[in-house]
Amino acid sequence: MASPLRHARHECLPFDVVVLPATATATLSAEFLKVDDGLDRISTLADDLRRNIISRLPFKEAVRTTVLARSWRCIWGSTPLFLNDAHLLPPSPGNVRAGAIDCILRSHSGPFESVHLANFYLEPHQREIALWSRLLAERGVKDLVLVRLEGPASIDLSPSMRLPVDILRCANLRRLYIGYWMFPDTSDLPDGAGVFPHLEELGIIDTRMEDHDLDHILASSPVLKKLALIGNELPVQVNLRGQSLQCVLFWLSVRSKINFVEVNAPNLERLIMWSYSTLHPLVSVVSAPVLKVLGYLNLGGGPLGFRNTIINIKVDSETSPSSMIPSVKILALNVDLRYSRDVPVLANFLRWFPNIETLHLKCECYVHMPSDNNHSESFQNLDPIECVQSQIKTVVLHEFTGHRIEMALLRYLSQKANQMRQLTLVLPHLPDERSVGEIKGELDDLLFLPWASEACTLLLLGPAKKLAWTFHRASDLSIHDPFLSDDGQELFRFVKGI
């Protein structure tokens, strides 16, 4: 069965891989230049100006200029190539023919600015990919997306689907996304392959590769800032090392093989792990002094480690200053609070992050499974948590149901979070009026108690219009909090302390 990530393949690709100044309806016409003599003056423009014009046309219109007149035949072929195979899709449902891509890449003399190929399907043993890889390298491609369409499961990752080593000779690459291949073997690379001096962004989507392959690429990409690892067919162990790494994203399926991630990246600002499984890889943070955004981590799904020490989170585990990560400002957690003994686990984990300002929580309440009734007492007996008492300003509870476990957590926050300014509860689905009334009734006791914060707004929202976490939000460093989404319908607002 195909991975659910396959159906979201294009969601994993950057929006702006092909930056075209064209409009879909643009056409080439000299009507506005015609005067009484009827001459076509657009054809008399300098070649550089005509190349500029062609670069602003949709791809098919640009290619058609080669048949206008003899003076136009060489213009398209010498204009930097911006190719997006989505522009080649047939009017009726279907895929792009590999032969069409082959013809375009052969006939264009370069340079290749951006080549985005994500709508084609190659049969096993087809040789086009070898030619494409060589042409992409020779003609200096800078932005490359090479994601083949899904084939039958029996041939999905057959040896014939191994990328040629020439793909590692594209030394001008600034951005590279590849998907549904076997990665070239880097253990014995020929000279000049596998070194990317300009590569700033790398995305690997369901591509089978060994640990040493990823290690080699990271070590050979000195200015790499953004790394995305997506799907099943990924290394078992990932060593995140790089002086320039700023953002690392994992989007893992239930069959992901990654079991260990070590982080040693002095400029890493954002580490995000999204998984369809309840289990996460074990994470060891050796060095990440400027890490600001961390999540979603599954608390209760296994051990995590910090400062080069693997620590099993236990009720009686102690937190020392050397194990803290004071740089983290935004933390997102999936927490299992089915039993009251899980509460100290959450508390001890939060102590590792003394300067959190925004906390996102998704509580696994297991409504239809047995649980104990001692959560309120467990929260009351907690030792002080520094970030809760003095730092947290915003708390978001995602998929809030009003379960007694969640209510006990809300009471704790209201009594201990001195700096909390906003508490947002996001429902998993839009309820009927009766359900809203029941949830408001659950909140009444909380609202009329004194709160630790002088002023705090409580919001009850319907489900978000879009998924709270998306690949594009996570990878956009200009977005302060990637775990926020478009607000759902506001169902209830209460301002405490005013």
Side-chain angles (χ1 to χ4, degrees), residues 103-325:
C103 180
I104 292 167
L105 296 181
R106 284 174 180 266
S107 60
H108 198 287
S109 60
F112 291 176
E113 283 291 325
S114 184
V115 176
H116 184 170
L117 305 178
N119 296 280
F120 69 95
Y121 172 66
L122 286 178
E123 293 284 352
H125 311 299
Q126 284 188 315
R127 304 304 178 190
E128 284 92 340
I129 190 60
L131 172 65
W132 298 356
S133 299
R134 178 173 58 81
L135 292 175
L136 289 166
E138 290 177 353
R139 294 172 189 178
V141 65
K142 295 179 181 177
D143 271 312
L144 176 61
V145 169
L146 195 59
V147 179
R148 71 182 183 92
L149 289 177
E150 177 181 8
S154 61
I155 62 167
D156 260 0
L157 288 174
S158 64
S160 62
M161 289 292 106
R162 184 179 295 278
L163 278 173
V165 74
D166 276 333
I167 206 69
L168 302 181
R169 296 182 184 274
C170 299
N172 289 337
L173 280 171
R174 268 65 172 174
R175 178 159 48 184
L176 172 63
Y177 278 73
I178 57 174
Y180 311 119
W181 303 96
M182 294 186 70
F183 200 79
D185 185 3
T186 62
S187 58
D188 190 23
L189 286 176
D191 292 342
V195 178
F196 300 109
H198 308 294
L199 189 66
E200 297 185 1
E201 186 173 333
L202 174 63
I204 307 292
I205 305 170
D206 256 344
T207 290
R208 186 174 298 168
M209 62 191 314
E210 302 299 327
D211 298 0
H212 66 82
D213 295 328
L214 183 58
D215 290 342
H216 177 90
I217 295 303
L218 293 181
S220 303
S221 306
V223 298
L224 187 68
K225 297 178 180 177
K226 187 186 301 183
L227 172 67
L229 299 174
I230 301 156
N232 302 321
E233 302 291 340
L234 295 169
V236 174
Q237 297 191 20
V238 176
N239 297 310
L240 298 177
R241 296 178 182 146
Q243 292 294 316
S244 300
L245 269 181
Q246 295 178 346
C247 178
V248 177
L249 312 174
F250 292 87
W251 195 0
L252 309 176
S253 79
V254 294
R255 294 181 293 161
S256 175
K257 300 175 183 177
I258 295 179
N259 60 29
F260 180 76
V261 177
E262 182 178 275
V263 182
N264 190 353
N267 290 298
L268 186 67
E269 298 180 20
R270 186 172 291 190
L271 175 60
I272 295 179
M273 308 182 77
W274 185 266
S275 177
Y276 287 96
S277 171
T278 57
L279 297 177
H280 266 289
L282 187 147
V283 180
S284 175
V285 179
V286 177
S287 177
V290 297
L291 184 64
K292 298 185 177 85
V293 178
L294 178 64
Y296 262 100
L297 299 180
N298 281 350
L299 191 54
L304 294 96
F306 295 92
R307 303 299 180 194
N308 208 24
T309 302
I310 305 305
I311 302 173
N312 285 304
I313 303 174
K314 299 178 181 178
V315 172
D316 58 351
S317 64
E318 296 183 359
T319 306
S320 65
S322 63
S323 67
M324 294 181 179
I325 301 187

Side-chain angles (χ1 to χ4, degrees), residues 432-490:
D432 55 32
E433 292 185 9
R434 180 179 177 182
S435 299
V436 173
E438 290 175 352
I439 293 174
K440 288 180 181 178
E442 293 285 343
L443 296 173
D444 279 345
D445 291 341
L446 176 69
L447 296 176
F448 288 103
L449 291 174
W451 284 28
S453 175
E454 294 182 358
C456 184
T457 299
L458 173 67
L459 288 176
L460 179 65
L461 302 179
K465 297 176 183 177
K466 295 182 180 179
L467 184 67
W469 187 95
T470 68
F471 180 83
H472 298 292
R473 288 186 62 85
S475 61
D476 187 348
L477 294 176
S478 68
I479 295 176
H480 174 69
D481 186 347
F483 303 111
L484 287 176
S485 63
D486 293 342
D487 291 339
Q489 178 184 350
E490 183 175 317

